[in-house]
Every structure is written in structure tokens, then in C-alpha cells.
Amino acid sequence: MNTVETLTAPAIEGDRWPMLEATPTGSASRVTAAAAAYLFRTATRRLGISVSEDGQPADIVLHRPEELYARLGRHGLIGLGEAYMTGAWDAPELGDTLTVLCRDLEGLLPGWAQRLRGVYERRRGEADVNTPENAREHIGHHYDLSNEFFALFLDPTMTYSAGLFSPLPSAEDLAVAQHRKIDRILDEAGVGEGTRVLEIGTGWGELALRAAARGARVTSVTLSVEQAALARRRIAEAGFDDRVEVDLCDYRAVDGTYDAVVSVEMIEAVGERFWPVYFAKIDEVLAPGGTAVIQAITMPHDRMVATRNTETWITKYIFPGGILPSTEAITEVTEEHTRLRVRSRLSFGHHYAETLRRWDTALRDRAEEVRALGFDEMFLRMWHFYLEYTRAGFAADYIDVQQLTFTRDEVG
């Protein structure tokens, strides 16, 4: 069991957490906080989630309930995450509790509260749109935290995407599951001796290394300075720098012709406005008879449509500019703007839940090393909430991860 040790509020340093506003005050805030308290108690009681305000064991332990309700009243689920960051509440088994919530996200609010969403939900602004300029900043916000930080919880392959286990549940080493995932992508794309491969989104280079080991020639593009530096070093150390080129550039600037295009969990950072551009670029550079394989985190289409313009806790703190597509949206965009057609699909969302569980365990086990890198308690709580909230989404089947294989309709 993961126990929560921090019972007091982490210090909110204005220069380090400018987005984390102070607890709302005033008469209007008291009204919305009272409504949030009623809704919170009603929802947790209906879902069978125990709540304690006196430190007794429970699924949710409230240390500062007034702060939690004030934040919920102001910004809904964003406030739930912010109140966790500040230590206003804890959960001994955070992921399990969030999974229960995720299974009934749409049922948490009664109809009258649903109709008032416009009062507390924030709308996305132009700064969230992934123009070439914004995209570099958004990618850097997350992926350039430091390679040393990510190395603390990722497996030795430095792969930051879902593993593919066999079987599940499994005690299998995560690196084995990551290689199985990568190898399936390369197999689907037909990557072998002499294959010209474009990878959109380098990560830390493991897919490029696996492709080069098959005899392929790889061009990999990324906007992360930190990832590019480590990927180049790993590729050189493996002796494949004559077969792999890592370019620090936007996918929109790619040219050339490739037999295979692969992209692992990159589309989530593209943004809805640029999905047609993303897939049109793949269509443009794919050689006749070529194959593209995209690994994408997806969400149900109705939820994507309902939340596409709404700021969430994830987009505010973890992935600015991000949005998860639905499989219907991907099909619609590719059929309307490209000659690409989905030929096969593999869904393995529960494998991502297991991957995230392992990452979170590793990160919590190495919390002191995270602090030694200069990150504070708020950062640790933010990442614990992020990893467990995301795990809950997969465990509850609210979101999914899929490998989508495309070939081009040369007649269409």
C-alpha cells in the first residue's frame, strides 16, 4: 500500500508555481464552495468512496476541506488536482480512488450543475494552439524538465509510452514490454534492411535504435532539446550514427520520401487545428506502397467534442496545448484530407494502466533523488496526481491507447 506522508501544505512559491492561484475568497466563492461541498459529498457517498476529515483511515482524507471545496467551486476538476498539489486532501490509494471517479465522470454532476459548467470551466486561448512557435514551448515545458529526472522512473530503454505486456497482468520486465510494443510497430510498418524510416517524435531514441538494428535508415524529428541530445548520444554509443539522423525540427518542416512513417504518442501534442496538417505531411512524404503506424492515446468521440475547447488540469500543468483525438476524428481527418486509410488497429489501454503504475511506483521510490535535482514537494505531488489520474483513465476505460496502421489509397 502506498501511504501518503505529506500532511501539511507544500510551500507555494509564486515564482515556481505562477499558475497555482491562492484559495478563492469572497461571498461568491463561499456560495460556489458550498455547492461544491454538497456535490462532492453526494458523489462520494453514491460511489462508495469513504471520506474523513479527522485523520481517520478513509479513501479520501481531507486536511483542509474548505480549500478543496473553494477550488472545486472555482474550477471543477482543475481545482481537485490543485487541491491535491497543495496538500488539501490525500488518498492512501490515489489511483484506485480516481479510477472509481473516472468510471462515472459524466455522472458526478446532476443536470443543473452540468448546465452551469460554463461558469467554472476555463476555455482554451490562442496560446494553447500548437503553432510552430507555441509547439516548441509546449514540448519544452514537459520533455525538457531534464533527462536525469525521466531516467529516475523510466526503464533502461527510456521509453515514455505504453508497454505491451504478454500476458496481462504480468510480472514481465517493463523493458521487455516496451521492446514488444516497438517491434510490433516496426513489423506493422515493414521496417527491415534498407527501409527509409521517418519517425515523428524521437523520444529518447529507442525506436530509432531498434529500426537501425534491422538495417533501416532513420530520420527522426523532435522539438525537445533534451531528448535530442540524449538520443544522439545513445545512437552514437550504439554505433548507429551513420544510419540515424535526429533533427531538431517541427514535423511540418520535414521533407523527403520514406517507405515507413512511425509516430508514437505524438499526435496528442499536435492539436485539433493541425490534425489535417499532421496527416497530410505523412501522406506527402510516404512513398508509394509505404506504411504509416501511429500510436495514439484516444478518448470517446462524444467526450472529445464536449471538451475540445476546455482547459483541463492536464493541459494546465502537464501538457499545454494537448488534446486526445478519438478514433472517429482520426478516420474523418484522414479520409477528408489525405489518401491514408486505416488498415488495422490494436487497442491496449489496460497495458498503459500497468505501465503508469510502474512509473509512479518508481518515481515515489526515488523521491529523494527527485528533490536532489531541485524539484520541490509540489512538483512531486503534481506528478503523482498526473500519473495516477492518467492510470485511472485507462483502468476505467475512459481513455485508450491504440496502434493504427495506415496505407495509402493510391486510387482515391
Side-chain angles (χ1 to χ4, degrees), residues 99-351:
T99 298
V100 175
L101 291 174
C102 283
R103 288 194 177 117
D104 194 33
L105 273 181
E106 290 310 295
L108 292 179
L109 299 178
W112 63 267
Q114 296 271 8
R115 290 189 290 274
L116 290 174
R117 276 183 162 177
V119 175
Y120 59 84
E121 285 188 339
R122 291 183 172 182
R123 308 294 285 179
R124 292 181 182 231
E126 282 299 307
D128 291 313
V129 178
N130 282 308
T131 61
E133 296 76 20
N134 288 347
R136 184 177 292 274
E137 181 179 347
H138 292 163
I139 291 297
H141 173 88
H142 188 81
Y143 294 97
D144 288 343
L145 287 169
S146 84
N147 292 331
E148 293 77 12
F149 166 70
F150 284 98
L152 290 177
F153 67 92
L154 297 181
D155 67 270
T157 71
M158 290 294 287
T159 304
Y160 189 41
S161 53
L164 182 59
F165 296 89
S166 180
L168 192 69
S170 175
E172 185 174 57
D173 188 84
L174 181 53
V176 174
Q178 295 291 10
H179 280 162
R180 182 181 295 109
K181 176 270 301 297
I182 292 171
D183 290 344
R184 186 186 186 278
I185 292 171
L186 298 178
D187 289 345
E188 283 284 295
V191 174
E193 185 70 38
T195 305
R196 298 166 297 174
V197 178
L198 170 65
E199 180 186 26
I200 301 176
T202 305
W204 284 274
E206 190 68 17
L207 187 147
L209 286 168
R210 301 288 282 186
R214 294 183 176 208
R217 303 190 68 84
V218 184
T219 298
S220 186
V221 298
T222 180
L223 288 177
S224 169
V225 174
E226 289 276 320
Q227 286 188 330
L230 182 53
R232 288 167 180 158
R233 186 162 72 246
R234 295 180 71 211
I235 289 162
E237 290 172 353
F240 290 138
D241 48 356
D242 61 332
R243 298 186 193 176
V244 182
E245 179 180 353
V246 176
D247 292 334
L248 195 64
C249 80
D250 192 280
Y251 69 91
R252 285 162 281 212
V254 170
D255 56 16
T257 303
Y258 304 90
D259 306 302
V261 179
V262 295
S263 187
V264 179
E265 296 177 25
M266 158 64 189
I267 190 175
E268 302 86 351
V270 168
E272 183 181 11
R273 184 184 300 183
F274 292 102
W275 288 341
V277 178
Y278 172 79
F279 283 108
K281 174 58 68 173
I282 294 173
D283 187 17
E284 173 193 326
V285 301
L286 193 63
T291 303
V293 181
I294 308 300
Q295 183 164 309
I297 302 173
T298 61
M299 68 187 307
H301 188 68
D302 59 338
R303 295 306 309 141
M304 187 210 81
V305 172
T307 61
R308 69 205 325 170
N309 296 316
T310 302
E311 183 184 49
T312 67
W313 184 87
I314 291 288
T315 60
K316 183 175 181 180
Y317 288 99
I318 307 299
F319 293 114
I323 179 174
L324 304 184
S326 65
T327 53
E328 292 91 336
I330 290 173
T331 299
E332 180 181 325
V333 167
T334 52
E335 290 187 351
E336 182 175 347
H337 296 278
T338 77
R339 295 165 292 171
L340 301 172
R341 300 294 179 266
V342 177
R343 302 308 184 194
S344 68
R345 177 183 291 123
L346 173 70
S347 171
F348 57 114
H350 286 198
H351 295 249

